[in-house]
Amino acid sequence: MNPTDIKRPDYFHKVVDCQWACPAHTQVPEYIRLIAAGRYGDAYLVNWRSNVFPGILGRTCDRPCEPACRRARVEEGSPEHRRNAAKPEPVAICRLKRVAADYKDDIRPRLPQRASARNGKRVALIGAGPASLTVARDLAPLGYECVVFDADALAGGMMRTQIPKFRLPDRVIDEEVGYVLDLGIEFRPGVRIDSLRALMAGAIGGRFDAVFVGSGAPRGRDLDIPGRREAAAHVHIGIDWLASVSFGHTTRIGRRVVVLGGGNTAMDCCRSSRRLGGEDVQVVVRSGFDEMKASPWEKEDAQHEGIPIHNFLVPLAFVHDGGTLTGVRFEKVRPVHDARGRRQLVPTGEPPVEFACDDVLVAIGQENAFPWIERDLEVAFDDRGMPVVDRQTMASTHPAVFFGGDAAFGPKNIIWAVAHGHEAAISIDLACRGEPLSNRPPPHVNLVSQKMGIHEWSYDNAIHADRRYRVPLREVTAALKDIRTEVELGFDPRLAYAEAERCLNCDVETVFSDRLCIECDACVDVCPMDCITFTANGDEADLRTRLSAPAANLAQDLYVSAPVRTGRVMVKDEDVCLHCGLCAERCPTGAWDMQKFLIDAAHAADRLHPPRSVPAAAEAGAMAAD
């Protein structure tokens, strides 16, 4: 293998698994260290730069960072965990984000200020959800006049209408949406855009230089089975019903409720039903429990509130008595895999089962709807009715129209919408300045040694064996009394510190200098994970089998040095390295060093100002963990 080029921005970025997995590339270890140091405002601002909504996401994020967390892989290979039959658990990254939001001081003076002058360019943003708000936040400080249109009276989009208040209180949405709107963004509530042609012709709000479509996936899928029309009064589309509950239009539901679907919307529907009078609430899913699209913690929360989940049942008909809904009939199915491993659900042949109910909530998916975009406007659509959108630039086939969030690629989650918004803002800025969309600003990358003494580092390199700490919950009886009472209480500072100490500081990298190595093998001896090997070079497949511990995880790179004095190469498996620094402490020549890797994803403003990892007031001592 050729020596690893650690100057490539993505090499160490990929090693910081949590940040690599985050669509917005939030500097996760950085803000966790700041939380451990009690510097909540600084931790909040690290989040705010990249993910825009730390308090909202700290309660609702789908957490793509956590399955990637190195901590779980290390615990999986730990003899202690195997002895105790302990489940490997990642760091509670998402809930630590909420800690920064809950305990920060007033950070408003440290946020960007309104632009002192306009640049003459106007941007229309359709929908006031996370994607549009991210675009506006990035462009407004650059002098763009950003006008956000939304049919609802308040900004926030699906964050406000589809996430129940017991998960996400209005006060959190009001605060973080307010930070964005306070940048001088014009919000036009109650304005539904029914024609893109009219908007672009200047008939709605004047002329615009660019249009961003962040209208989400506003239409819930229906279920066309016998009885649907007859029982229509008590069969509700899940996302519409949640919006009606959010705005207070719906305040009660029948005593017996069946929720159809296995995603997060279904979990929100069933838990909301319990709070609005549903005493017998059941979730019915056509797939297996492990195949459900709902996040594992969402399923756990539903079951914790006494809601059963029934699997492998396909709805056959809504049962009614003269138009009055009485139940839902289901066919039992089982999974069968063909020779190519593809799964199909086939009937078991058992008699149908029927669930008695007074109301049904259909939460089987969401669809995009663009009847308001005329098909002769140079905005191309594919055979599924989705806009043709470039995944890097978020540009459509029309040079002035951009998409993001669920409107671009279908339903996903808030953090993806934020990531789309950042990229779209860069593209809109480039387009308005007449530059190619490929002229994107690069990320800011840095490597800085953390050595303070021979055996002392400016970060906490102790490995704590603590298991993941559970977030305290409100007592169930009290939680079910009020649909606006928040269920999760969040970590207090003591629990937050303990959970933060589980982080392995994966952004502090082991950096090797082949010129300083004397091949004493001290680093090999001291490594607790056996991830360092000195051996003859070879191709990657061969090297992976000849290491002290075979490197079977092909998704993780091998760090390979140039030849040292004997011609051997140093090979380090990046998969389970603890970043503990023992190799650097033991090395007599300083061939190993612990260097903090920083990568700050590019935003539209980076063409004017170099990005920073943390606010200027936070830089000194940011690495201190205690």
Side-chain angles (χ1 to χ4, degrees):
M1 293 183 66
N2 293 323
T4 300
D5 181 8
I6 64 172
K7 293 181 180 179
R8 284 190 298 113
D10 278 349
Y11 179 72
F12 281 135
H13 187 191
K14 187 177 178 182
V15 175
V16 190
D17 303 87
C18 50
Q19 187 176 7
W20 177 259
C22 174
H25 302 306
T26 304
Q27 296 172 10
V28 174
E30 178 82 346
Y31 80 72
I32 288 179
R33 279 191 297 269
L34 289 166
I35 288 170
R39 300 172 59 180
Y40 307 114
D42 294 338
Y44 185 89
L45 289 171
V46 169
N47 274 282
W48 190 84
R49 170 169 166 79
S50 57
N51 62 47
V52 185
F53 306 105
I56 293 171
L57 285 165
R59 291 165 167 82
T60 64
C61 190
D62 277 7
R63 316 179 195 179
C65 54
E66 291 190 13
C69 177
R70 181 184 307 272
R71 177 82 193 204
R73 296 200 304 274
V74 169
E75 288 188 354
E76 188 176 21
S78 164
E80 177 186 348
H81 275 71
R82 287 199 297 270
R83 274 197 307 273
N84 298 325
K87 178 184 176 183
E89 292 278 14
V91 176
I93 298 169
C94 177
R95 292 329 187 223
L96 286 173
K97 193 190 319 291
R98 174 180 169 174
V99 169
D102 285 353
Y103 294 100
K104 68 183 184 306
D105 51 7
D106 184 3
I107 49 86
R108 284 174 294 183
R110 301 164 67 183
L111 297 177
Q113 301 301 303
R114 294 188 179 198
S116 57
R118 299 288 191 190
N119 65 8
K121 302 294 184 180
R122 303 183 75 231
V123 180
L125 302 110
I126 303 173
S132 293
L133 292 173
T134 300
V135 174
R137 192 209 70 167
D138 286 2
L139 292 180
L142 300 180
Y144 287 88
E145 182 181 348
C146 297
V147 182
V148 181
F149 299 92
D150 199 284
D152 291 330
L154 297 171
M158 57 78 63
M159 298 186 296
R160 192 180 293 276
T161 62
Q162 294 175 31
I163 302 177
K165 306 309 175 189
F166 58 82
R167 289 181 56 209
L168 179 59
D170 275 333
R171 61 177 174 78
V172 181
I173 305 173
D174 293 341
E175 176 188 356
E176 297 196 325
V177 169
Y179 290 155
V180 177
L181 297 182
D182 285 347
L183 292 171
I185 292 153
E186 182 180 352
F187 174 51
R188 298 192 183 182
V191 179
R192 181 185 299 277
I193 303 300
D194 292 319
S195 168
L196 182 59
R197 173 181 283 112
L199 178 73
M200 298 183 71
I204 308 172
R207 293 277 184 177
F208 292 97
D209 298 280
V211 175
F212 177 80
V213 180
S215 53
R219 187 171 64 190
R221 290 179 183 158
D222 205 344
L223 193 59
D224 187 14
I225 56 176
R228 174 66 177 91
R229 292 172 180 81
E230 294 84 349
H234 292 280
V235 178
H236 317 280
I237 302 300
I239 63 169
D240 296 338
W241 184 82
L242 286 172
S244 184
V245 171
S246 177
F247 288 117
H249 305 316
T250 295
T251 57
R252 54 187 303 185
I253 199 168
R255 186 180 67 82
R256 302 170 302 173
V257 181
V258 168
V259 178
L260 304 177
N264 287 337
T265 298
M267 299 302 102
D268 287 339
C269 284
C270 70
R271 297 179 69 197
S272 295
S273 297
R274 287 284 281 121
R275 289 158 171 80
L276 294 183
E279 298 174 10
D280 177 13
V281 179
Q282 305 191 62
V283 177
V284 184
V285 189
R286 63 184 295 137
S287 67
F289 185 83
D290 293 335
E291 300 169 295
M292 290 171 61
K293 292 183 178 180
S295 304
W297 50 91
E298 299 290 354
K299 294 186 286 186
E300 290 172 7
D301 288 343
Q303 292 175 316
H304 177 69
E305 293 177 357
I307 301 170
I309 298 175
H310 306 278
N311 299 93
F312 293 122
L313 293 171
V314 175
L316 292 175
F318 295 107
V319 183
H320 62 95
D321 181 5
T324 300
L325 179 73
T326 60
V328 187
R329 185 175 300 121
F330 297 90
E331 180 179 45
K332 291 186 177 182
V333 295
R334 60 186 176 86
V336 174
H337 294 82
D338 62 20
R340 299 176 61 181
R342 293 175 301 188
R343 193 210 66 166
Q344 289 184 320
L345 296 175
V346 299
T348 64
E350 299 173 77
V353 296
E354 189 170 309
F355 288 78
C357 63
D358 304 304
D359 285 280
V360 173
L361 297 174
V362 181
I364 57 174
Q366 293 169 234
E367 297 175 329
N368 292 77
F370 299 102
W372 53 276
I373 299 181
E374 293 83 356
R375 294 309 193 256
D376 59 352
L377 288 179
E378 300 180 42
V379 178
F381 288 82
D382 62 21
D383 55 5
R384 298 179 298 118
M386 292 294 293
V388 177
V389 179
D390 185 280
R391 289 187 175 271
Q392 181 187 23
T393 66
M394 309 310 298
S396 74
T397 53
H398 189 294
V401 179
F402 302 82
F403 287 76
D406 293 353
F409 307 116
K412 220 159 188 181
N413 51 55
I414 299 171
I415 192 63
W416 274 104
V418 169
H420 294 167
H422 287 313
E423 294 296 346
I426 292 173
S427 297
I428 292 170
D429 180 49
L430 289 168
C432 287
R433 291 188 292 114
E435 294 188 26
L437 301 190
S438 58
N439 286 0
R440 311 183 81 73
H444 175 65
V445 181
N446 204 3
L447 270 172
V448 180
S449 177
Q450 300 307 300
K451 185 169 287 188
M452 296 176 64
I454 296 177
H455 301 303
E456 186 178 4
W457 307 105
S458 60
Y459 75 104
D460 184 358
N461 68 335
I463 306 300
H464 298 264
D466 295 356
R467 299 185 188 178
R468 179 173 169 133
Y469 291 84
R470 294 189 63 84
V471 176
L473 301 177
R474 197 175 302 277
E475 193 272 325
V476 172
T477 303
L480 294 178
K481 285 183 178 179
D482 184 355
I483 197 166
R484 292 182 176 269
T485 297
E486 190 170 13
V487 175
E488 287 194 3
L489 303 179
F491 286 133
D492 60 22
R494 180 185 61 83
L495 281 176
Y497 175 82
E499 183 62 31
E501 288 293 273
R502 296 182 67 240
C503 178
L504 297 176
N505 296 294
C506 294
D507 60 338
V508 182
E509 306 295 344
T510 50
V511 177
F512 181 74
S513 172
D514 54 272
R515 291 175 297 174
L516 296 177
C517 179
I518 59 173
E519 300 183 70
C520 65
D521 283 357
C523 56
V524 176
D525 294 340
V526 78
C527 177
M529 303 302 291
D530 293 328
C531 59
I532 299 173
T533 306
F534 286 84
T535 185
N537 207 341
D539 61 38
E540 182 173 352
D542 173 48
L543 274 181
R544 285 183 176 273
T545 65
R546 291 194 281 110
L547 306 183
S548 301
N553 185 357
L554 302 182
Q556 294 291 320
D557 290 337
L558 298 180
Y559 181 3
V560 181
S561 76
V564 292
R565 299 185 184 189
T566 62
R568 298 187 301 171
V569 292
M570 184 286 303
V571 184
K572 183 170 84 76
D573 179 11
E574 297 284 15
D575 186 28
V576 293
C577 173
L578 295 175
H579 299 241
C580 61
L582 288 176
C583 54
E585 289 182 8
R586 186 73 176 270
C587 181
T589 64
W592 286 102
D593 190 19
M594 303 304 295
Q595 298 183 12
K596 179 189 171 188
F597 171 76
L598 177 147
I599 185 164
D600 200 349
H603 294 166
D606 291 342
R607 64 177 174 86
L608 299 176
H609 308 289
R612 308 178 72 87
S613 61
V614 290
E619 287 183 356
M623 296 296 295
D626 53 13

